[in-house]
Amino acid sequence: MARRKRYEEVHRKLESGEVQDVNDLITLNLDIWQFAQDVILNCEGPDLLRAFWNVTKDISILDPTCGSGAFLFAALNILEPLYEACLDRMAEMLEDEAAKHNIVGAIHESPLRHTPHDYPLLPHKKLEDFSNILEQVANHPNKQYFIYKSIILNNLYGVDIMEEAVEICKLRLFLKLAAQVDPDTSQPNFGIEPLPDIDFNIRAGNTLVGFTALEQIKKAITTEKHGQVTQRKLLHQDDIETMKRIEEKAQDIDRLFTLFRQQQTELGGEITTTDKQELKKRLKALEDELNRYLASEYGISPNNFKTKQPYEKKFSEWLTAHKPFHWFIEFHAIMNDGGFDVIIGNPPYVEYREVRRAYTVHCLETELCNNLYAFVMERSVKVLREKGRCGMIVPISAFCTDRMEKFQLLQLSNSSNFWLSNYAERPSKLFEGVERNLSITIFDKKHSNARIFTTGYLKWYAENRVYLFPTINYTIATNTKVFGIIPKISTQTEVNVLKKIQKVNSRIGNYTVNRQTKYILYYRNSGGRYWKIITDFQPEFFLNGRKSISSRESYLYFDTAEALLVSVASLNSSLYFWYYVMHSDARTNNPSDLKMFPLDIQSLSSTHMNKLFAICKKLMTDYKTKSIMQDGKYRTGLVKFQQFFPIKSKPIIDEIDHVLAKHYGFTDEELDFIINYDIKYRMGRDTDDEP
């Protein structure tokens, strides 16, 4: 019933014109997988089914930092029902055609056990390819075994720098395949056919170091042979011959790869150790040559050493540390055909400085972003085919930090559609043990200026996790992007509010000074998932019984009491909390987060100014009155700190938002949205205040 409803929903939107291509299916968050499955099972003509089958069996899916293979397993689970739907529909079409021509016995046996000889009278052999495919299925232990084997060999590819992780990934895929067969103790090898060899699908190597294209090799060859003269447009004749030889070697290796794979699927032969060793030998020889060209780009060239011995030592050290992976030859057929169709993954969230002693990257646009996930995304764009799709899970800070501007532009300038969904770490999280706010970014590769679609800052309780992804709602937010930030927009109302406050040219930071004054604003530089506590007085704090200051206490200084009171009031508002969540990682409180809030104090009317003065004083008194002194034990010792409960002061905070709404010109609907923003979670608990 649920499946039928989803299918009918897509059908209604198709009829209404809301869905014109696959991008609309993503934006509307419709169940594309279920839709494709239903189309396959209900298609009437063989041409459409043939098209689906060819796309499904040929699609190349890569995880460039695959680890133990979690994302490849997810891809396996997505593809398996599509394979099965195609095979079932092929069998049905053959049965229908056989019945139409009164072919005896064609209906009673399992269709997947038929061979071309079962259908000798089919007109024009128009379904002969279907019959041949089903014959291949019949030559395997069962249909599921054939499907999983085909996916593992033909669709899934992974790379990881950790050899142990690669071996675990391959082992898990083997176990999945073996689990499809019931062992028969009376048969040799328990009736289980030899498991496929996927050593050339799941590879060990450094995703970030190596050649992705022939053009890069050409540049490196010129550098290695002739020094730093890479600007020359014309190659020497010997360079041309070298390039030609490398391309021919890559093509020879690719032909062996193709035969290697066909032997395990279509041809049904066994792979001998000799066959595999020959392939490995040729591959290693070409890898060794390319490694030396690549090393020259790192300054390790025979031209830079007086004797061979120190060069070889330095080269060996570089090779061990960098573990280069040359996409151009490791996956030559795919790269020569334009790249991978789909790239998925969860790249490492590691600062570049943490690996720089081990290895360095070379010529990356995102190097100044200084995080490996940005580098992995750049490499993914390079190896993704035109019109291919990429989906990655990255920290939410990737889209709200100035230094990540290059990372953002890399994706936006290489796509026509860009979808960004954002996930909180509380009250529940995407991954257990990962204490981070995260974003899932999806884009289609096309050199264009992307349309941006975003979600809000999504929160959920663990018991509601099943509803999280089906209820995602994207809103177009192309015109809301500012330098280094893509706001977490979820509704048109939010777009309207944001546009109104973005019109304000002044910021709170315009009223702060870089020296200590008596007009001090106090705030915590971290914490406060649901409330930001801003005061014009210093919260009480004691360490081991002595009056002290919390390490999380921070300050802004103002020249006048008026600027201080208006700023304290405004930064306690629900409007500021919403603005902060839209533009930050929703976890840390940086000075820029407060200073960049749009507010023109000089344009406030005297009425609004006086109201904010009065409400601010009332709120500060209320904070103090309802606070308690809380004990805690930390690494630094025993602490006692003043704990606030802004949830108890919500009516006063609402007064601030009413004044600001009039100042910014919000409608009643926009004010109602701000006052009730995230109300379920903000009012659902007392506090998460910490010292």
Side-chain angles (χ1 to χ4, degrees), residues 452-464:
I452 302 173
F453 301 91
T454 71
T455 70
Y457 182 50
L458 303 175
K459 297 177 182 175
W460 67 98
Y461 292 110
E463 61 269 23
N464 296 323

Side-chain angles (χ1 to χ4, degrees), residues 441-503:
T441 167
I442 303 171
F443 62 90
D444 56 340
K445 183 177 177 181
K446 186 176 181 181
H447 297 287
S448 179
N449 291 317
R451 293 188 303 164
I452 302 173
F453 301 91
T454 71
T455 70
Y457 182 50
L458 303 175
K459 297 177 182 175
W460 67 98
Y461 292 110
E463 61 269 23
N464 296 323
R465 170 64 181 257
V466 66
Y467 306 110
L468 175 62
F469 293 109
T471 56
I472 283 176
N473 175 62
Y474 286 106
T475 297
I476 189 161
T478 307
N479 296 325
T480 65
K481 185 186 184 308
V482 293
F483 184 84
I485 299 172
I486 299 177
K488 307 168 191 66
I489 294 294
S490 64
T491 66
Q492 186 57 45
T493 298
E494 287 185 286
V495 174
N496 296 340
V497 171
L498 191 55
K499 285 183 177 179
K500 286 180 179 179
I501 61 178
Q502 282 179 340
K503 289 180 181 178

Side-chain angles (χ1 to χ4, degrees), residues 129-372:
D129 56 336
F130 291 176
S131 183
N132 291 335
I133 291 167
L134 297 184
E135 183 178 15
Q136 289 180 34
V137 178
N139 290 331
H140 290 77
N142 54 53
K143 180 172 65 172
Q144 291 305 114
Y145 188 94
F146 170 83
I147 290 173
Y148 283 125
K149 181 179 179 180
S150 299
I151 295 172
I152 291 169
L153 280 172
N154 297 326
N155 300 122
L156 303 183
Y157 301 87
V159 180
D160 200 276
I161 196 169
M162 295 180 63
E163 294 184 17
E164 301 89 343
V166 167
E167 293 305 314
I168 292 171
C169 178
K170 289 190 287 188
L171 178 60
R172 290 179 66 195
L173 291 171
F174 287 146
L175 292 175
K176 180 72 171 180
L177 190 57
Q180 309 310 311
V181 182
D182 293 325
D184 183 351
T185 55
S186 66
Q187 298 291 324
N189 297 321
F190 300 99
I192 301 175
E193 68 177 61
L195 292 172
D197 192 314
I198 57 172
D199 283 356
F200 301 108
N201 288 58
I202 314 298
R203 310 296 302 273
N206 191 336
T207 288
L208 304 175
V209 178
F211 297 122
T212 61
L214 197 60
E215 188 63 31
Q216 293 177 328
I217 300 173
K218 180 172 72 174
K219 177 182 175 183
I221 288 173
T222 308
T223 300
E224 198 275 335
K225 287 188 175 181
H226 309 291
Q228 299 298 323
V229 288
T230 56
Q231 299 304 314
R232 279 192 301 108
K233 293 184 179 180
L234 296 177
L235 293 176
H236 287 225
Q237 184 60 37
D238 59 339
D239 296 337
I240 295 173
E241 293 299 322
T242 300
M243 291 293 296
K244 183 179 178 182
R245 177 174 49 78
I246 288 174
E247 174 65 11
E248 287 175 350
K249 282 186 177 182
Q251 289 174 356
D252 287 341
I253 291 170
D254 185 57
R255 278 191 284 271
L256 288 176
F257 274 144
T258 302
L259 182 60
F260 189 84
R261 185 172 288 112
Q262 285 180 329
Q263 281 291 102
Q264 301 182 83
T265 53
E266 301 167 27
L267 303 181
E270 290 188 15
I271 300 300
T272 67
T273 303
T274 304
D275 291 335
K276 186 173 180 180
Q277 289 304 319
E278 177 61 24
L279 179 51
K280 279 190 168 183
K281 178 182 175 182
R282 294 194 189 189
L283 182 60
K284 187 177 186 311
L286 186 51
E287 282 176 344
D288 288 344
E289 182 176 359
L290 296 186
N291 287 338
R292 293 186 184 276
Y293 291 136
L294 182 62
S296 69
E297 295 201 328
Y298 284 78
I300 303 170
S301 168
N303 299 331
N304 299 333
F305 294 85
K306 293 182 179 179
T307 62
K308 184 177 181 180
Q309 186 175 359
Y311 162 71
E312 290 294 342
K313 181 175 183 295
K314 192 70 174 176
F315 172 74
S316 178
E317 291 172 350
W318 174 87
L319 191 63
T320 301
H322 286 74
K323 298 180 174 64
F325 185 84
H326 302 295
W327 299 83
F328 178 73
I329 60 168
E330 306 288 356
F331 299 126
H332 181 267
I334 292 173
M335 295 306 300
N336 209 39
D337 194 38
F340 289 88
D341 298 303
V342 175
I343 297 180
I344 53 178
N346 183 28
Y349 315 151
V350 177
E351 290 292 319
Y352 184 28
R353 64 175 178 271
E354 295 182 28
V355 302
R356 197 159 190 163
R357 287 187 178 181
Y359 67 86
T360 57
V361 297
H362 187 67
C363 295
L364 289 180
E365 295 176 33
T366 57
E367 187 171 344
L368 292 179
C369 295
N370 284 311
N371 201 293
L372 297 194

Side-chain angles (χ1 to χ4, degrees), residues 581-597:
V581 170
M582 289 298 100
H583 294 81
S584 73
D585 65 1
R587 187 169 181 174
T588 55
N589 307 323
N590 298 306
S592 59
D593 295 325
L594 285 75
K595 289 182 176 182
M596 289 305 294
F597 181 63

Side-chain angles (χ1 to χ4, degrees), residues 524 538-553 629-630 634 636 638-642 690-691:
R524 299 259 172 89
Q538 187 168 40
E540 295 288 331
F541 184 88
F542 295 88
L543 176 61
N544 296 323
R546 302 182 64 178
K547 188 173 179 61
S548 185
I549 298 172
S550 170
S551 61
R552 304 201 314 171
E553 184 172 285
M629 293 305 296
Q630 181 69 48
Y634 296 87
T636 52
L638 296 175
V639 303
K640 186 183 286 286
F641 67 96
Q642 191 172 12
E690 298 174 26

